[in-house]
Structures are given as structure tokens and as C-alpha cells.
Amino acid sequence: MADAKLRIDKWLWQARFFKTRSLAAKQVSGGYVRLNGNRVIKPAQTVSPGDVLTFPQGRIVRVVRVEKLGERRGPAPEAQTLYLDMTEKQDVPPKNPGFEGKGRPTKKDRRALDLSRTEDR
């Protein structure tokens, strides 16, 4: 079974990178997926174990190596056995600074926050 192959959109869906197979197909046909460094634009492109896929997912670019082909879209632990994640760990930039207390700031806290912003100018 060394020549086993599977459609790239189906594999991405089975490995749970995309919620639906049509979303996976849109990413591939949009030219956002690379197979072994080459841009893929057809969802019918086949993948086999050992291939390296590069594609955006959310705000990060994922790099995964296909370890095996799936039989079905199973639970997440089963899907994680289909690939080896080679994505470099990225520091997530902090979101906009906000109120550092718990819950919604009081009126007094908001005034203090506004005053601190005007003093910086």
C-alpha cells in the first residue's frame, strides 16, 4: 500500500483542519495550500504519506507532514495521528490593552484610564 493516495481536500477535512470539506476545497482552489513547496489549485490533487503541506489557518501558517491517510473523519485524537505538526511556535502578539481588573470597569476606573491616556500626549 505504498502508492496509497487521497484527495487533498478530503485529507484536510479528515485531519480536522477545516470544519467542512467544501471549506477545505475553497482553500485549495484559492491557491492558499502548498504541497511539498508547490502551490496547489485543484482540490483533486492527491497526497500520500511523507508529503508536506503548508496552509494558513486562522492567524498562523500551519506546516504539517502527512503521516498516514485516514479511513474516515473520526474524533480529534484519531485525526491527530494522521499528521506531524511541524509549525514553528509563534509568540502571539498581545491584544489591545484594556482594563486589567475583573469585569467591567467602574466609572471611577474609566475616568482614571481616560486621564492616563491624555497625559501621554
Side-chain angles (χ1 to χ4, degrees):
M1 196 158 173
D3 59 347
K5 295 183 182 240
L6 187 66
R7 287 176 57 116
I8 193 167
D9 61 336
K10 192 170 184 179
W11 187 87
L12 287 167
W13 172 70
Q14 286 179 350
R16 293 186 164 266
F17 288 112
F18 296 99
K19 193 171 183 176
T20 64
R21 188 168 164 192
S22 61
L23 284 176
K26 279 184 185 177
Q27 283 290 103
V28 174
S29 59
Y32 300 113
V33 180
R34 292 185 178 270
L35 174 65
N36 296 325
N38 299 321
R39 193 167 153 204
V40 179
I41 55 171
K42 294 189 177 185
Q45 176 74 39
T46 57
V47 294
S48 56
D51 288 341
V52 177
L53 299 175
T54 307
F55 57 93
Q57 187 179 35
R59 293 181 178 228
I60 63 171
V61 175
R62 300 290 299 261
V63 179
V64 295
R65 185 172 68 219
V66 178
E67 291 294 316
K68 60 183 181 179
L69 305 178
E71 301 282 325
R72 64 188 182 114
R73 179 180 166 97
E78 182 181 313
Q80 290 171 350
T81 63
L82 299 179
Y83 62 91
L84 174 68
D85 194 358
M86 302 184 329
T87 305
E88 294 181 13
K89 301 297 179 201
Q90 300 173 348
D91 292 331
V92 179
K95 294 188 178 186
N96 292 336
F99 179 66
E100 295 178 3
K102 292 187 176 182
R104 185 175 175 178
T106 62
K107 188 170 183 178
K108 181 179 178 182
D109 293 331
R110 287 195 310 268
R111 275 193 234 114
L113 186 61
D114 289 340
L115 286 174
S116 68
R117 287 182 182 162
T118 58
E119 291 172 0
D120 293 339
R121 291 183 193 178

